[in-house]
mmCIF file of all heavy atoms in Angstrom:
data_model
loop_
_atom_site.group_PDB
_atom_site.id
_atom_site.type_symbol
_atom_site.label_atom_id
_atom_site.label_comp_id
_atom_site.label_asym_id
_atom_site.label_seq_id
_atom_site.Cartn_x
_atom_site.Cartn_y
_atom_site.Cartn_z
ATOM 1 N N VAL A 4 54.045 -26.815 43.570
ATOM 2 C CA VAL A 4 53.095 -26.102 44.417
ATOM 3 C C VAL A 4 53.466 -26.370 45.881
ATOM 4 O O VAL A 4 53.638 -27.527 46.275
ATOM 5 C CB VAL A 4 51.661 -26.578 44.137
ATOM 6 C CG1 VAL A 4 50.678 -25.866 45.061
ATOM 7 C CG2 VAL A 4 51.299 -26.340 42.673
ATOM 8 N N THR A 5 53.575 -25.311 46.650
ATOM 9 C CA THR A 5 53.984 -25.435 48.047
ATOM 10 C C THR A 5 52.841 -25.058 48.966
ATOM 11 O O THR A 5 52.284 -23.958 48.861
ATOM 12 C CB THR A 5 55.189 -24.529 48.342
ATOM 13 O OG1 THR A 5 56.252 -24.851 47.441
ATOM 14 C CG2 THR A 5 55.664 -24.722 49.773
ATOM 15 N N GLN A 6 52.506 -25.968 49.863
ATOM 16 C CA GLN A 6 51.452 -25.699 50.833
ATOM 17 C C GLN A 6 52.041 -25.717 52.237
ATOM 18 O O GLN A 6 52.815 -26.599 52.581
ATOM 19 C CB GLN A 6 50.347 -26.747 50.736
ATOM 20 C CG GLN A 6 49.518 -26.641 49.483
ATOM 21 C CD GLN A 6 48.327 -27.573 49.506
ATOM 22 O OE1 GLN A 6 48.257 -28.553 48.764
ATOM 23 N NE2 GLN A 6 47.371 -27.262 50.379
ATOM 24 N N THR A 7 51.647 -24.751 53.027
ATOM 25 C CA THR A 7 52.077 -24.706 54.418
ATOM 26 C C THR A 7 50.910 -24.375 55.330
ATOM 27 O O THR A 7 49.984 -23.654 54.921
ATOM 28 C CB THR A 7 53.169 -23.635 54.626
ATOM 29 O OG1 THR A 7 52.675 -22.366 54.172
ATOM 30 C CG2 THR A 7 54.438 -23.990 53.872
ATOM 31 N N PRO A 8 50.898 -24.914 56.547
ATOM 32 C CA PRO A 8 51.801 -25.970 57.010
ATOM 33 C C PRO A 8 51.375 -27.331 56.482
ATOM 34 O O PRO A 8 50.330 -27.445 55.836
ATOM 35 C CB PRO A 8 51.627 -25.886 58.524
ATOM 36 C CG PRO A 8 50.199 -25.469 58.693
ATOM 37 C CD PRO A 8 49.887 -24.544 57.546
ATOM 38 N N ARG A 9 52.117 -28.350 56.750
ATOM 39 C CA ARG A 9 51.735 -29.695 56.311
ATOM 40 C C ARG A 9 50.720 -30.320 57.258
ATOM 41 O O ARG A 9 49.872 -31.088 56.829
ATOM 42 C CB ARG A 9 52.974 -30.589 56.226
ATOM 43 C CG ARG A 9 53.851 -30.268 55.047
ATOM 44 C CD ARG A 9 54.530 -31.492 54.485
ATOM 45 N NE ARG A 9 53.587 -32.371 53.783
ATOM 46 C CZ ARG A 9 53.906 -33.571 53.311
ATOM 47 N NH1 ARG A 9 55.107 -34.064 53.485
ATOM 48 N NH2 ARG A 9 53.012 -34.306 52.672
ATOM 49 N N TYR A 10 50.824 -29.980 58.518
ATOM 50 C CA TYR A 10 49.905 -30.513 59.523
ATOM 51 C C TYR A 10 49.453 -29.393 60.455
ATOM 52 O O TYR A 10 50.217 -28.480 60.759
ATOM 53 C CB TYR A 10 50.578 -31.607 60.365
ATOM 54 C CG TYR A 10 51.063 -32.792 59.565
ATOM 55 C CD1 TYR A 10 52.369 -32.838 59.084
ATOM 56 C CD2 TYR A 10 50.221 -33.869 59.298
ATOM 57 C CE1 TYR A 10 52.815 -33.921 58.342
ATOM 58 C CE2 TYR A 10 50.663 -34.958 58.560
ATOM 59 C CZ TYR A 10 51.963 -34.975 58.079
ATOM 60 O OH TYR A 10 52.405 -36.050 57.344
ATOM 61 N N LEU A 11 48.203 -29.487 60.850
ATOM 62 C CA LEU A 11 47.624 -28.523 61.779
ATOM 63 C C LEU A 11 46.659 -29.247 62.700
ATOM 64 O O LEU A 11 45.852 -30.065 62.240
ATOM 65 C CB LEU A 11 46.844 -27.453 61.011
ATOM 66 C CG LEU A 11 47.493 -26.119 60.663
ATOM 67 C CD1 LEU A 11 46.522 -25.274 59.878
ATOM 68 C CD2 LEU A 11 47.960 -25.402 61.916
ATOM 69 N N ILE A 12 46.735 -28.904 63.965
ATOM 70 C CA ILE A 12 45.736 -29.397 64.921
ATOM 71 C C ILE A 12 45.086 -28.188 65.566
ATOM 72 O O ILE A 12 45.777 -27.330 66.129
ATOM 73 C CB ILE A 12 46.371 -30.310 65.988
ATOM 74 C CG1 ILE A 12 47.040 -31.516 65.321
ATOM 75 C CG2 ILE A 12 45.298 -30.780 66.983
ATOM 76 C CD1 ILE A 12 47.778 -32.411 66.296
ATOM 77 N N LYS A 13 43.781 -28.114 65.451
ATOM 78 C CA LYS A 13 43.028 -26.986 65.995
ATOM 79 C C LYS A 13 41.874 -27.510 66.840
ATOM 80 O O LYS A 13 41.461 -28.662 66.730
ATOM 81 C CB LYS A 13 42.478 -26.119 64.853
ATOM 82 C CG LYS A 13 43.549 -25.351 64.097
ATOM 83 C CD LYS A 13 44.075 -24.210 64.938
ATOM 84 C CE LYS A 13 45.003 -23.323 64.135
ATOM 85 N NZ LYS A 13 45.502 -22.181 64.950
ATOM 86 N N THR A 14 41.360 -26.605 67.651
ATOM 87 C CA THR A 14 40.233 -26.936 68.513
ATOM 88 C C THR A 14 38.946 -26.399 67.902
ATOM 89 O O THR A 14 38.966 -25.346 67.246
ATOM 90 C CB THR A 14 40.443 -26.338 69.911
ATOM 91 O OG1 THR A 14 41.682 -26.820 70.440
ATOM 92 C CG2 THR A 14 39.306 -26.719 70.845
ATOM 93 N N ARG A 15 37.885 -27.126 68.095
ATOM 94 C CA ARG A 15 36.569 -26.697 67.613
ATOM 95 C C ARG A 15 36.301 -25.251 68.017
ATOM 96 O O ARG A 15 36.561 -24.854 69.164
ATOM 97 C CB ARG A 15 35.511 -27.620 68.207
ATOM 98 C CG ARG A 15 34.167 -27.584 67.539
ATOM 99 C CD ARG A 15 33.300 -28.724 68.025
ATOM 100 N NE ARG A 15 33.440 -28.976 69.457
ATOM 101 C CZ ARG A 15 32.814 -29.936 70.093
ATOM 102 N NH1 ARG A 15 32.033 -30.778 69.434
ATOM 103 N NH2 ARG A 15 32.976 -30.111 71.377
ATOM 104 N N GLY A 16 35.805 -24.453 67.088
ATOM 105 C CA GLY A 16 35.501 -23.060 67.353
ATOM 106 C C GLY A 16 36.614 -22.099 66.946
ATOM 107 O O GLY A 16 36.358 -20.900 66.768
ATOM 108 N N GLN A 17 37.813 -22.607 66.803
ATOM 109 C CA GLN A 17 38.921 -21.751 66.379
ATOM 110 C C GLN A 17 38.844 -21.484 64.882
ATOM 111 O O GLN A 17 37.989 -22.025 64.178
ATOM 112 C CB GLN A 17 40.265 -22.413 66.709
ATOM 113 C CG GLN A 17 40.610 -22.431 68.176
ATOM 114 C CD GLN A 17 42.004 -23.008 68.405
ATOM 115 O OE1 GLN A 17 42.392 -24.022 67.828
ATOM 116 N NE2 GLN A 17 42.782 -22.341 69.267
ATOM 117 N N GLN A 18 39.743 -20.647 64.393
ATOM 118 C CA GLN A 18 39.841 -20.433 62.963
ATOM 119 C C GLN A 18 41.240 -20.823 62.494
ATOM 120 O O GLN A 18 42.172 -20.930 63.307
ATOM 121 C CB GLN A 18 39.548 -18.979 62.587
ATOM 122 C CG GLN A 18 40.653 -18.004 62.905
ATOM 123 C CD GLN A 18 40.438 -16.664 62.196
ATOM 124 O OE1 GLN A 18 39.353 -16.362 61.698
ATOM 125 N NE2 GLN A 18 41.481 -15.860 62.131
ATOM 126 N N VAL A 19 41.378 -21.041 61.193
ATOM 127 C CA VAL A 19 42.650 -21.483 60.660
ATOM 128 C C VAL A 19 42.883 -20.864 59.282
ATOM 129 O O VAL A 19 41.921 -20.598 58.535
ATOM 130 C CB VAL A 19 42.682 -23.022 60.571
ATOM 131 C CG1 VAL A 19 41.684 -23.537 59.530
ATOM 132 C CG2 VAL A 19 44.074 -23.538 60.260
ATOM 133 N N THR A 20 44.144 -20.614 58.973
ATOM 134 C CA THR A 20 44.524 -20.097 57.659
ATOM 135 C C THR A 20 45.564 -21.016 57.051
ATOM 136 O O THR A 20 46.569 -21.335 57.692
ATOM 137 C CB THR A 20 45.097 -18.677 57.764
ATOM 138 O OG1 THR A 20 44.102 -17.802 58.306
ATOM 139 C CG2 THR A 20 45.515 -18.164 56.390
ATOM 140 N N LEU A 21 45.300 -21.439 55.828
ATOM 141 C CA LEU A 21 46.210 -22.313 55.093
ATOM 142 C C LEU A 21 46.793 -21.523 53.927
ATOM 143 O O LEU A 21 46.096 -20.691 53.318
ATOM 144 C CB LEU A 21 45.479 -23.547 54.560
ATOM 145 C CG LEU A 21 44.584 -24.313 55.535
ATOM 146 C CD1 LEU A 21 43.981 -25.530 54.858
ATOM 147 C CD2 LEU A 21 45.337 -24.706 56.775
ATOM 148 N N SER A 22 48.035 -21.821 53.592
ATOM 149 C CA SER A 22 48.711 -21.061 52.549
ATOM 150 C C SER A 22 49.121 -21.945 51.385
ATOM 151 O O SER A 22 49.433 -23.129 51.559
ATOM 152 C CB SER A 22 49.953 -20.383 53.143
ATOM 153 O OG SER A 22 50.646 -19.649 52.152
ATOM 154 N N CYS A 23 49.123 -21.338 50.196
ATOM 155 C CA CYS A 23 49.485 -22.060 48.982
ATOM 156 C C CYS A 23 50.291 -21.143 48.064
ATOM 157 O O CYS A 23 49.826 -20.053 47.716
ATOM 158 C CB CYS A 23 48.224 -22.536 48.269
ATOM 159 S SG CYS A 23 48.527 -23.269 46.636
ATOM 160 N N SER A 24 51.478 -21.597 47.687
ATOM 161 C CA SER A 24 52.279 -20.871 46.700
ATOM 162 C C SER A 24 52.288 -21.663 45.409
ATOM 163 O O SER A 24 52.761 -22.806 45.384
ATOM 164 C CB SER A 24 53.710 -20.686 47.207
ATOM 165 O OG SER A 24 53.729 -19.830 48.324
ATOM 166 N N PRO A 25 51.756 -21.096 44.332
ATOM 167 C CA PRO A 25 51.647 -21.848 43.078
ATOM 168 C C PRO A 25 52.988 -21.960 42.370
ATOM 169 O O PRO A 25 53.971 -21.322 42.754
ATOM 170 C CB PRO A 25 50.666 -21.002 42.257
ATOM 171 C CG PRO A 25 50.899 -19.609 42.739
ATOM 172 C CD PRO A 25 51.211 -19.743 44.202
ATOM 173 N N ILE A 26 53.010 -22.758 41.347
ATOM 174 C CA ILE A 26 54.176 -22.850 40.479
ATOM 175 C C ILE A 26 54.398 -21.487 39.830
ATOM 176 O O ILE A 26 53.430 -20.808 39.446
ATOM 177 C CB ILE A 26 53.968 -23.937 39.408
ATOM 178 C CG1 ILE A 26 53.947 -25.322 40.066
ATOM 179 C CG2 ILE A 26 55.032 -23.876 38.320
ATOM 180 C CD1 ILE A 26 53.580 -26.447 39.124
ATOM 181 N N SER A 27 55.649 -21.109 39.708
ATOM 182 C CA SER A 27 55.970 -19.807 39.136
ATOM 183 C C SER A 27 55.345 -19.664 37.747
ATOM 184 O O SER A 27 55.480 -20.538 36.889
ATOM 185 C CB SER A 27 57.498 -19.668 39.040
ATOM 186 O OG SER A 27 57.845 -18.444 38.413
#
Side-chain angles (χ1 to χ4, degrees):
Chain A
V4 178
T5 304
Q6 289 188 249
T7 56
R9 287 213 72 187
Y10 300 93
L11 264 178
I12 301 176
K13 290 287 188 179
T14 303
R15 196 169 40 182
Q17 288 184 316
Q18 75 166 15
V19 67
T20 299
L21 312 182
S22 179
C23 173
S24 293
I26 292 173
S27 176

